[in-house]
Amino acid sequence: MNGAESLVRTLLASGVDTCFTNPGTSEMHFVAALDQVPGMRSVLALFEGVATGAADGYYRMARKPATTLLHLGPGLANGISNLHNAKKAGSGIVNIVGQHAASHLAIDAPLTADIEGLARPVSHWVETSLSAADVGRDAARAVQAARCAPGQVATLVLPSDTAWTPGGQVASALPVPARAPVASDMLDRAAAALSGPDSLLLLGGEALTVENLDRAGRIAAATGCALLSEWANARMERGAGRVPVARVPYPIDAALETLARFRRVVLVGARPPIGFFAYPGKPAVLTHPEAEIIALADWAADLDGALAALEQAVGGADAVPVRAQAGPPARVTGPCTPETVAAALGQCIPEGAIVLDESVTTGRAFHGATLGAAPHTWINNCGGSIGYSLAAAIGAAIACPDRKVLTLTGDGSALYMPQALWTMAREALDITVVIWANRSYRILLGELSGVGVMNPGPRALDMLSLERPVIDWVAQAGSLGVPACRVDRAEDFALALGRGFAEDGPNLIEVVL
Amino acid sequence: MNGAESLVRTLLASGVDTCFTNPGTSEMHFVAALDQVPGMRSVLALFEGVATGAADGYYRMARKPATTLLHLGPGLANGISNLHNAKKAGSGIVNIVGQHAASHLAIDAPLTADIEGLARPVSHWVETSLSAADVGRDAARAVQAARCAPGQVATLVLPSDTAWTPGGQVASALPVPARAPVASDMLDRAAAALSGPDSLLLLGGEALTVENLDRAGRIAAATGCALLSEWANARMERGAGRVPVARVPYPIDAALETLARFRRVVLVGARPPIGFFAYPGKPAVLTHPEAEIIALADWAADLDGALAALEQAVGGADAVPVRAQAGPPARVTGPCTPETVAAALGQCIPEGAIVLDESVTTGRAFHGATLGAAPHTWINNCGGSIGYSLAAAIGAAIACPDRKVLTLTGDGSALYMPQALWTMAREALDITVVIWANRSYRILLGELSGVGVMNPGPRALDMLSLERPVIDWVAQAGSLGVPACRVDRAEDFALALGRGFAEDGPNLIEVVL
């Protein structure tokens, strides 16, 4: 058995059975091993960012890592921005990068690069296998690292000679450390702090599962505290019958206003709320300057246990949480605007849908409009690097083949990684992609004034415009094998969503705003 | 004057007047400065790899750096693979990356990343400005670093508060070190070594200008030595009337065969010929094991001076070099194959054209077929990271608005960076894009056997196929505003090329092979 085969067999033994890849010469033995070892699903991406983004989306839904297979330093480089997003979301990924044979590195061939150096800023764990005999053991350790709470990026560099040389040894799965429990003194402080409407329970990470939202809802009912989540959540359960939790707003002034009334803030899986960017004359931490912040449990801790203990400490076991009510059926009509498309989404999201939200500006009305939609999962981009949602949708759809996937993305974001559409078509994934075609980097219009640029000139504004030429998303999708339509009225949008969900395989709706 | 304005004014004072950008919030003051300072051409890209690739192509033709403007760590990350290609080509780039304000870095916001760590593997020079007063001086030093021979990647990180704070100071241009002359003892060795057909003068970098090719041609005529260039050349002048120089072949067996007869090899601007990849049982350095290698001048040295001195040392001043002859006009017909499209190119390349060649497998017959074409410039990808040529074409077209640009790219490579088409349309650049649609990562079929994988199974072969679904390049181009056509016969390809060159603005030809 060569090193490549020991790699595939070890990954399978550790529970990793899905690979997102764009391989090259140095990875050909791994590719060949796919035919010798059954059980590894290998999904081809036409750009490495699609592979890493898909691995992130896969982790969010499967709660276990997939592996990537990337070609040398440049292949890794193309995947870095979505590894950044994965790292910020706490997604576990076994990130395998081919490398030249050791004998070839010294001569600095065209594709030679400092792979470990490129990987380190976006990885929790980086190692290079030294021989075929090491590959199995290293792979098991990479999976172990990827599975450490909340989920980590583990980069394993695999020189081509370690793949093709005999002597590979399959390694067994390694144990994963348990999540840390909360300290009892912190629990007492948190329980005492939560009292009345000037106290806030701020949730993040796995505090947003159905069960933990129920616990949080009972805590709020028992104490009168408010509930909020971070602006960007790796995964949140929402919809009718679930405990509704609003997100801290993105615009800094709105966030400051939302948070101003809280004097005591308990963090469970969340960090103190901070500005997405620095703005002249505005604070970085957005809570009231005199607010007491109690960090009960960080995102790597045992959040189920933390919320259960907190619920008990505040006497919340019998409290009745507020739950979102299903809205009445309504027919939404009129031109597509952020408000009408939000209303249409509230009517159309099917039960069990996975919603990947990269609606940078268009989506600000979505929370309220979809609170009473059928129960669904909501996924945000946690790293801020745009071009995430099309790729992540692939992984979510592969992790959950029985659920509908809905991707909501601005046009500027979507054009970062359009190649994802081809993989959706190839794998016949059940994904409805909605492109908000506002034909600009709309968010930057607001950011200009946010950072103090008033009255921007025509050359500045030209750098924010996607109108010259207009991007034809129906043709773009069609070129990559995804059927598509264009709508500019909300009633047509609702009909298109219904058709998209009714059919198998991917489809795209360009919404002209 | 704020730091951003001092940056733009300093860049202009140092001769940098072209910016390829995808800006974000942290770069808004730089964008605003474009309206306050005339003279900086700012070109918007929809993906950062397009911006960095364009800056590479610009340098190849302008022989001076452009600047990029990228958004934080993720924006840099998306540009890394084409910075890798630029670094390997010796292209100078002033790579400007926005950063959070210093006060914001401590709180680890979503977009926070180790920018210097990401930049270092692809940069020769990395610095972060500490205050608005430093920005001008740092920018002048970045331009100086970028202009060091043969051209370097200089990354300047610009925290947003250094951009918006008053106190910016414009800095003057700094001197650039002269290129090193050759040592006289090396010159004597090289002159003695070049004698007869078992000696080789191997050229690279700026040894491939028209004047240096003439010198090399006279040296070959005087000594009987052979001439070759490296496999990948940053820029080479070719065509009828010029001294023809073949490239060392890419396939390792062909390269070994080509180089086997040489016992003395003189390097001018080139490195010893090496394999692109490591292959089991094959050498890394491809010259004969007993060949003497004389490194007369590396790519940063004074190559004009080296070749002039060598010409004199071998008494070549009056020698008459071999020159490529214009081929007879011919009408090429038949299905599109690598041979017929090569013949069509030989007939159709217009005088003064800039050809960006990313024809990974289709292009192996191009050299011979285009030797007698009208005089033109040929540009290769020097770093091996595919997805280069569409982006680089933008920079070449902007550097040389009076020349026709022809991009030849495989479909697999082109789909790495299709967003470049939109910028071509937006800037109305005179670029003809040819997509070789073989609907596979064709090169990897050869590489599988090259690394010893015989009889690959169906799952391995599936990872190399782009047929499911077929990519519609006419629709892809149309979606981004570039008119396109599809051909499958060589006579139609020739007609389409003629139409493309006759019209202004970009166009695309999908060639089905």
Side-chain angles (χ1 to χ4, degrees), chain B residues 41-78:
Chain B
R41 179 170 183 178
S42 188
V43 178
L44 180 61
L46 298 187
F47 186 75
E48 289 84 356
V50 176
T52 54
D56 182 4
Y58 178 91
Y59 183 86
R60 310 265 190 123
M61 295 312 303
R63 301 273 197 218
K64 71 172 189 173
T67 183
T68 64
L69 180 65
L70 310 179
H71 183 46
L72 302 174
L76 168 62
N78 288 331

Short mmCIF file of all heavy atoms in Angstrom, two decimals, chain B residues 41-78:
data_model
loop_
_atom_site.label_atom_id
_atom_site.label_comp_id
_atom_site.label_asym_id
_atom_site.label_seq_id
_atom_site.Cartn_x
_atom_site.Cartn_y
_atom_site.Cartn_z
N ARG B 41 -4.96 56.05 -13.04
CA ARG B 41 -6.01 55.25 -13.67
C ARG B 41 -6.35 54.09 -12.75
O ARG B 41 -5.49 53.29 -12.40
CB ARG B 41 -5.53 54.72 -15.02
CG ARG B 41 -6.60 53.86 -15.71
CD ARG B 41 -6.23 53.53 -17.13
NE ARG B 41 -7.29 52.78 -17.78
CZ ARG B 41 -7.25 52.40 -19.05
NH1 ARG B 41 -6.21 52.71 -19.80
NH2 ARG B 41 -8.25 51.73 -19.58
N SER B 42 -7.60 53.99 -12.38
CA SER B 42 -8.03 52.95 -11.45
C SER B 42 -8.95 51.98 -12.17
O SER B 42 -9.96 52.38 -12.74
CB SER B 42 -8.73 53.58 -10.26
OG SER B 42 -9.00 52.63 -9.27
N VAL B 43 -8.59 50.72 -12.17
CA VAL B 43 -9.30 49.69 -12.93
C VAL B 43 -9.92 48.71 -11.94
O VAL B 43 -9.21 48.08 -11.15
CB VAL B 43 -8.32 48.96 -13.87
CG1 VAL B 43 -9.05 47.86 -14.64
CG2 VAL B 43 -7.67 49.96 -14.83
N LEU B 44 -11.24 48.57 -12.01
CA LEU B 44 -11.94 47.70 -11.06
C LEU B 44 -11.94 46.26 -11.55
O LEU B 44 -12.22 45.98 -12.71
CB LEU B 44 -13.40 48.19 -10.90
CG LEU B 44 -14.29 47.40 -9.94
CD1 LEU B 44 -13.74 47.44 -8.52
CD2 LEU B 44 -15.72 47.93 -9.99
N ALA B 45 -11.62 45.34 -10.64
CA ALA B 45 -11.70 43.90 -10.91
C ALA B 45 -12.74 43.31 -9.98
O ALA B 45 -12.92 43.77 -8.86
CB ALA B 45 -10.35 43.24 -10.66
N LEU B 46 -13.42 42.27 -10.43
CA LEU B 46 -14.47 41.65 -9.61
C LEU B 46 -13.93 40.53 -8.73
O LEU B 46 -14.68 39.86 -8.04
CB LEU B 46 -15.59 41.11 -10.50
CG LEU B 46 -16.32 42.17 -11.32
CD1 LEU B 46 -17.51 41.57 -12.03
CD2 LEU B 46 -16.77 43.32 -10.43
N PHE B 47 -12.62 40.34 -8.78
CA PHE B 47 -11.96 39.33 -7.95
C PHE B 47 -10.51 39.76 -7.88
O PHE B 47 -9.92 40.21 -8.87
CB PHE B 47 -12.10 37.94 -8.59
CG PHE B 47 -11.57 36.82 -7.74
CD1 PHE B 47 -12.29 36.38 -6.64
CD2 PHE B 47 -10.36 36.21 -8.03
CE1 PHE B 47 -11.80 35.35 -5.85
CE2 PHE B 47 -9.87 35.18 -7.24
CZ PHE B 47 -10.60 34.75 -6.15
N GLU B 48 -9.89 39.59 -6.71
CA GLU B 48 -8.55 40.16 -6.53
C GLU B 48 -7.48 39.48 -7.39
O GLU B 48 -6.47 40.10 -7.74
CB GLU B 48 -8.15 40.13 -5.06
CG GLU B 48 -8.91 41.12 -4.19
CD GLU B 48 -10.25 40.61 -3.72
OE1 GLU B 48 -10.64 39.49 -4.13
OE2 GLU B 48 -10.92 41.31 -2.94
N GLY B 49 -7.68 38.21 -7.71
CA GLY B 49 -6.72 37.55 -8.59
C GLY B 49 -6.65 38.21 -9.96
O GLY B 49 -5.60 38.19 -10.62
N VAL B 50 -7.75 38.80 -10.38
CA VAL B 50 -7.74 39.55 -11.63
C VAL B 50 -6.87 40.79 -11.48
O VAL B 50 -6.09 41.14 -12.38
CB VAL B 50 -9.17 39.92 -12.05
CG1 VAL B 50 -9.17 40.79 -13.30
CG2 VAL B 50 -10.01 38.67 -12.27
N ALA B 51 -6.96 41.44 -10.34
CA ALA B 51 -6.16 42.65 -10.10
C ALA B 51 -4.67 42.33 -10.07
O ALA B 51 -3.86 43.02 -10.70
CB ALA B 51 -6.61 43.33 -8.80
N THR B 52 -4.29 41.28 -9.35
CA THR B 52 -2.86 40.98 -9.25
C THR B 52 -2.32 40.44 -10.57
O THR B 52 -1.19 40.75 -10.96
CB THR B 52 -2.58 39.99 -8.10
OG1 THR B 52 -3.39 38.81 -8.26
CG2 THR B 52 -2.88 40.61 -6.75
N GLY B 53 -3.12 39.63 -11.27
CA GLY B 53 -2.69 39.13 -12.57
C GLY B 53 -2.56 40.26 -13.58
O GLY B 53 -1.63 40.27 -14.41
N ALA B 54 -3.47 41.22 -13.52
CA ALA B 54 -3.38 42.38 -14.41
C ALA B 54 -2.12 43.18 -14.13
O ALA B 54 -1.44 43.65 -15.05
CB ALA B 54 -4.62 43.26 -14.26
N ALA B 55 -1.78 43.32 -12.86
CA ALA B 55 -0.56 44.07 -12.51
C ALA B 55 0.67 43.34 -13.05
O ALA B 55 1.64 43.99 -13.48
CB ALA B 55 -0.48 44.24 -10.99
N ASP B 56 0.65 42.02 -13.03
CA ASP B 56 1.75 41.24 -13.60
C ASP B 56 1.85 41.50 -15.11
O ASP B 56 2.93 41.85 -15.64
CB ASP B 56 1.51 39.76 -13.31
CG ASP B 56 2.63 38.85 -13.80
OD1 ASP B 56 3.65 39.36 -14.32
OD2 ASP B 56 2.49 37.62 -13.68
N GLY B 57 0.73 41.36 -15.80
CA GLY B 57 0.75 41.59 -17.25
C GLY B 57 1.18 43.01 -17.61
O GLY B 57 1.88 43.24 -18.61
N TYR B 58 0.75 43.95 -16.78
CA TYR B 58 1.13 45.35 -17.00
C TYR B 58 2.65 45.50 -16.93
O TYR B 58 3.27 46.13 -17.79
CB TYR B 58 0.44 46.23 -15.96
CG TYR B 58 0.77 47.70 -16.05
CD1 TYR B 58 0.00 48.56 -16.83
CD2 TYR B 58 1.84 48.24 -15.34
CE1 TYR B 58 0.29 49.92 -16.90
CE2 TYR B 58 2.15 49.59 -15.42
CZ TYR B 58 1.37 50.42 -16.19
OH TYR B 58 1.68 51.76 -16.26
N TYR B 59 3.25 44.92 -15.90
CA TYR B 59 4.70 45.05 -15.74
C TYR B 59 5.46 44.44 -16.92
O TYR B 59 6.46 45.00 -17.39
CB TYR B 59 5.18 44.39 -14.45
CG TYR B 59 6.67 44.59 -14.24
CD1 TYR B 59 7.14 45.74 -13.61
CD2 TYR B 59 7.59 43.68 -14.71
CE1 TYR B 59 8.50 45.95 -13.44
CE2 TYR B 59 8.95 43.88 -14.56
CZ TYR B 59 9.40 45.02 -13.92
OH TYR B 59 10.76 45.24 -13.77
N ARG B 60 4.99 43.29 -17.38
CA ARG B 60 5.70 42.63 -18.49
C ARG B 60 5.83 43.56 -19.70
O ARG B 60 6.84 43.54 -20.39
CB ARG B 60 4.92 41.39 -18.94
CG ARG B 60 4.54 40.46 -17.81
CD ARG B 60 5.48 39.35 -17.58
NE ARG B 60 4.87 38.41 -16.64
CZ ARG B 60 4.68 37.12 -16.90
NH1 ARG B 60 5.05 36.61 -18.05
NH2 ARG B 60 4.14 36.33 -15.99
N MET B 61 4.76 44.34 -19.94
CA MET B 61 4.76 45.18 -21.14
C MET B 61 5.24 46.60 -20.86
O MET B 61 5.91 47.20 -21.70
CB MET B 61 3.37 45.20 -21.77
CG MET B 61 2.92 43.84 -22.29
SD MET B 61 4.16 42.94 -23.31
CE MET B 61 4.48 44.13 -24.60
N ALA B 62 4.90 47.16 -19.69
CA ALA B 62 5.29 48.54 -19.41
C ALA B 62 6.70 48.64 -18.85
O ALA B 62 7.30 49.72 -18.88
CB ALA B 62 4.30 49.17 -18.42
N ARG B 63 7.22 47.52 -18.36
CA ARG B 63 8.53 47.51 -17.68
C ARG B 63 8.56 48.48 -16.51
O ARG B 63 9.61 49.02 -16.15
CB ARG B 63 9.67 47.83 -18.64
CG ARG B 63 9.79 46.88 -19.83
CD ARG B 63 10.62 45.67 -19.51
NE ARG B 63 11.08 44.97 -20.71
CZ ARG B 63 11.15 43.64 -20.80
NH1 ARG B 63 10.80 42.88 -19.79
NH2 ARG B 63 11.59 43.07 -21.90
N LYS B 64 7.41 48.72 -15.93
CA LYS B 64 7.35 49.50 -14.68
C LYS B 64 6.15 48.99 -13.90
O LYS B 64 5.20 48.45 -14.48
CB LYS B 64 7.26 51.00 -14.96
CG LYS B 64 5.94 51.47 -15.52
CD LYS B 64 5.88 52.99 -15.58
CE LYS B 64 4.47 53.45 -15.94
NZ LYS B 64 4.29 54.89 -15.86
N PRO B 65 6.18 49.16 -12.57
CA PRO B 65 5.09 48.56 -11.78
C PRO B 65 3.80 49.35 -11.83
O PRO B 65 3.79 50.58 -11.95
CB PRO B 65 5.66 48.54 -10.35
CG PRO B 65 6.78 49.51 -10.34
CD PRO B 65 7.26 49.70 -11.74
N ALA B 66 2.71 48.61 -11.72
CA ALA B 66 1.41 49.19 -11.36
C ALA B 66 1.21 48.93 -9.87
O ALA B 66 2.00 48.23 -9.23
CB ALA B 66 0.29 48.53 -12.16
N THR B 67 0.16 49.51 -9.32
CA THR B 67 -0.20 49.22 -7.94
C THR B 67 -1.50 48.43 -7.92
O THR B 67 -2.32 48.55 -8.82
CB THR B 67 -0.32 50.51 -7.10
OG1 THR B 67 -0.60 50.15 -5.75
CG2 THR B 67 -1.42 51.40 -7.61
N THR B 68 -1.64 47.63 -6.90
CA THR B 68 -2.94 47.02 -6.61
C THR B 68 -3.53 47.77 -5.42
O THR B 68 -2.83 48.53 -4.75
CB THR B 68 -2.79 45.54 -6.20
OG1 THR B 68 -2.04 45.49 -4.99
CG2 THR B 68 -2.07 44.74 -7.28
N LEU B 69 -4.80 47.52 -5.15
CA LEU B 69 -5.40 47.98 -3.89
C LEU B 69 -6.38 46.90 -3.47
O LEU B 69 -7.41 46.70 -4.12
CB LEU B 69 -6.11 49.32 -4.08
CG LEU B 69 -6.77 49.88 -2.81
CD1 LEU B 69 -5.73 50.23 -1.76
CD2 LEU B 69 -7.62 51.11 -3.15
N LEU B 70 -6.01 46.16 -2.43
CA LEU B 70 -6.75 44.95 -2.04
C LEU B 70 -7.32 45.13 -0.64
O LEU B 70 -6.78 45.87 0.18
CB LEU B 70 -5.82 43.74 -2.07
CG LEU B 70 -5.02 43.55 -3.36
CD1 LEU B 70 -4.11 42.32 -3.25
CD2 LEU B 70 -5.93 43.43 -4.57
N HIS B 71 -8.41 44.43 -0.37
CA HIS B 71 -9.17 44.62 0.86
C HIS B 71 -8.76 43.59 1.91
O HIS B 71 -9.16 42.44 1.87
CB HIS B 71 -10.65 44.49 0.54
CG HIS B 71 -11.57 44.73 1.70
ND1 HIS B 71 -11.42 45.80 2.56
CD2 HIS B 71 -12.65 44.05 2.14
CE1 HIS B 71 -12.38 45.76 3.47
NE2 HIS B 71 -13.14 44.71 3.25
N LEU B 72 -7.92 44.02 2.84
CA LEU B 72 -7.58 43.22 4.02
C LEU B 72 -7.00 41.85 3.64
O LEU B 72 -6.64 41.60 2.51
CB LEU B 72 -8.83 43.06 4.91
CG LEU B 72 -9.47 44.39 5.39
CD1 LEU B 72 -10.76 44.10 6.12
CD2 LEU B 72 -8.52 45.16 6.28
N GLY B 73 -6.88 40.98 4.65
CA GLY B 73 -6.27 39.67 4.43
C GLY B 73 -6.99 38.83 3.38
O GLY B 73 -6.34 38.28 2.49
N PRO B 74 -8.31 38.71 3.45
CA PRO B 74 -8.99 37.90 2.43
C PRO B 74 -8.82 38.45 1.02
O PRO B 74 -8.69 37.68 0.07
CB PRO B 74 -10.45 37.93 2.88
CG PRO B 74 -10.35 38.03 4.38
CD PRO B 74 -9.19 38.98 4.59
N GLY B 75 -8.85 39.77 0.85
CA GLY B 75 -8.63 40.32 -0.49
C GLY B 75 -7.23 39.99 -0.99
O GLY B 75 -7.03 39.63 -2.15
N LEU B 76 -6.25 40.11 -0.10
CA LEU B 76 -4.89 39.69 -0.46
C LEU B 76 -4.88 38.20 -0.81
O LEU B 76 -4.28 37.79 -1.81
CB LEU B 76 -3.94 39.96 0.70
CG LEU B 76 -2.55 39.31 0.60
CD1 LEU B 76 -1.80 39.83 -0.62
CD2 LEU B 76 -1.75 39.54 1.86
N ALA B 77 -5.54 37.39 0.02
CA ALA B 77 -5.52 35.94 -0.20
C ALA B 77 -6.00 35.60 -1.61
O ALA B 77 -5.40 34.79 -2.31
CB ALA B 77 -6.39 35.24 0.85
N ASN B 78 -7.07 36.26 -2.04
CA ASN B 78 -7.60 35.98 -3.37
C ASN B 78 -6.63 36.39 -4.48
O ASN B 78 -6.75 35.94 -5.61
CB ASN B 78 -8.93 36.70 -3.58
CG ASN B 78 -10.06 36.06 -2.78
OD1 ASN B 78 -10.04 34.86 -2.52
ND2 ASN B 78 -11.03 36.86 -2.38
#
